[in-house]
Amino acid sequence: MVFTTEEVQTRALSGVSLEIGQGEFVAIMGPSGCGKSTLLNILGTLDTPTSGKYFIHGKDMTQMNESRLTMFRKRNIGFVFQSFNLIDELTVFENVELPLVYLGMRKKERTIRVMTVLEQMNMAHRAAHFPQQLSGGQQQRVAIARAVVTDCPLILADEPTGNLDSAHGVEVMTLLQQLNRKGTTIIMVTHSERDAGYANRIIYLLDGRIVGGRG
C-alpha cells in the first residue's frame, strides 16, 4: 500500500500476506506508524491496496466498485473505534438502529433486533439516553452493539479500549471475547499486551511488514 503526494511517496504496507479463518480472534500489534491502521482499513474495504489482492469468502474485494463495497460492508463488517464514533444527537437506541435503517429493515423488526442486542450488552436500560449521558465504557458497549446489530460475521476493532480505564477496558474485551466464542470473527489493532491476550493469534507489524506472530 503506497500513499503518494506531490513531494513524497510513503509505503505503508509492503509484502503483507496473511490468511484469517472464520471464527478467529486476531490481534495486530506494532509501534505507531507501522501500518496497523492501514491494514485494518484494507481489511474493512475502506482503503483499496495499490497492488495485490484481498479476498473475503472467495470474493475479490479489489475488483468491486464502491457501491458494491458499501453494500458488502453494511451486511458483513462491523466497526468498533477507539473514539466510539456515536452520534451525539441520537439516543442509544437510535445509534444502534442506524445500520438497520440503512439496510431498509422494517421498523418493527428493527426495534426487536436493537432491544435484543442492547439486552445482550446490558444497555437496554439506557436506550433513551444520549451518548454524553454515558460513561466511556457504556459508550463503547453501545458502539459494539451498533457493530453487531446487523448480525455481521466480522468485527474490526481499532484500539477499542484506548479511551477507557482499566476496569472498563476489561469489560469491553470480555464482550468481544464472548462474541468471538459465539462465532464472530474479530480482528483488532491494539498497543495493549493485555488486550492482545484475549486473542487467539497475534500478528506483529514493523515498517509495513509482518515480522512475527504467535498463536
Side-chain angles (χ1 to χ4, degrees):
M1 183 70 178
V2 178
F3 295 102
T4 303
T5 67
E6 292 181 359
E7 298 178 353
V8 67
Q9 188 179 80
T10 302
R11 186 172 294 276
L13 294 172
S14 179
V16 171
S17 178
L18 73 156
E19 182 174 340
I20 296 173
Q22 185 172 339
E24 281 199 82
F25 189 160
V26 177
I28 300 171
M29 300 193 73
S32 296
C34 73
K36 300 188 302 296
S37 292
T38 299
L39 178 55
L40 201 70
N41 284 343
I42 290 173
L43 295 176
T45 73
L46 298 173
D47 286 342
T48 301
T50 49
S51 63
K53 299 286 186 180
Y54 171 40
F55 294 88
I56 299 181
H57 294 309
K59 296 180 180 179
D60 186 354
M61 299 292 107
T62 63
Q63 298 301 310
M64 288 189 184
N65 60 33
E66 187 54 42
S67 62
R68 290 180 64 198
L69 284 173
T70 299
M71 183 54 65
F72 184 89
R73 280 194 298 270
K74 287 178 181 178
R75 296 184 180 278
N76 294 279
I77 304 175
F79 296 89
V80 178
F81 303 96
Q82 176 178 344
S83 56
F84 316 137
N85 283 17
L86 300 176
I87 299 173
D88 290 340
E89 294 77 19
L90 299 182
T91 64
V92 165
F93 182 96
E94 291 166 340
N95 267 281
V96 177
E97 181 188 34
L98 200 56
L100 303 180
V101 174
Y102 290 148
L103 287 176
M105 186 178 291
R106 293 181 178 179
K107 177 65 176 178
K108 183 177 181 180
E109 187 177 352
R110 293 202 308 264
T111 299
I112 293 171
R113 183 80 68 89
V114 171
M115 292 310 298
T116 297
V117 171
L118 288 177
E119 287 282 359
Q120 291 171 349
M121 300 296 159
N122 196 27
M123 288 299 296
H125 63 298
R126 300 286 190 182
H129 287 65
F130 291 90
Q132 306 95 313
Q133 297 173 299
L134 307 178
S135 69
Q138 289 173 329
Q139 288 187 59
Q140 195 61 295
R141 282 176 175 265
V142 175
I144 293 172
R146 181 185 58 191
V148 304
V149 73
T150 60
D151 202 23
C152 60
L154 172 63
I155 290 179
L156 302 180
D158 191 357
E159 299 283 359
T161 68
N163 285 335
L164 303 178
D165 59 33
S166 179
H168 286 123
V170 169
E171 287 182 9
V172 166
M173 290 310 304
T174 300
L175 273 175
L176 291 175
Q177 189 178 58
Q178 290 170 350
L179 289 168
N180 174 249
R181 287 172 176 170
K182 293 178 181 178
T184 303
T185 303
I186 297 177
I187 305 173
M188 172 182 67
V189 161
T190 182
H191 283 99
S192 168
E193 288 283 356
R194 182 203 67 190
D195 289 358
Y198 286 84
N200 308 121
R201 178 156 63 114
I202 302 175
I203 296 170
Y204 295 99
L205 286 183
L206 181 65
D207 297 333
R209 296 179 180 272
I210 294 176
V211 295
R214 68 174 191 260

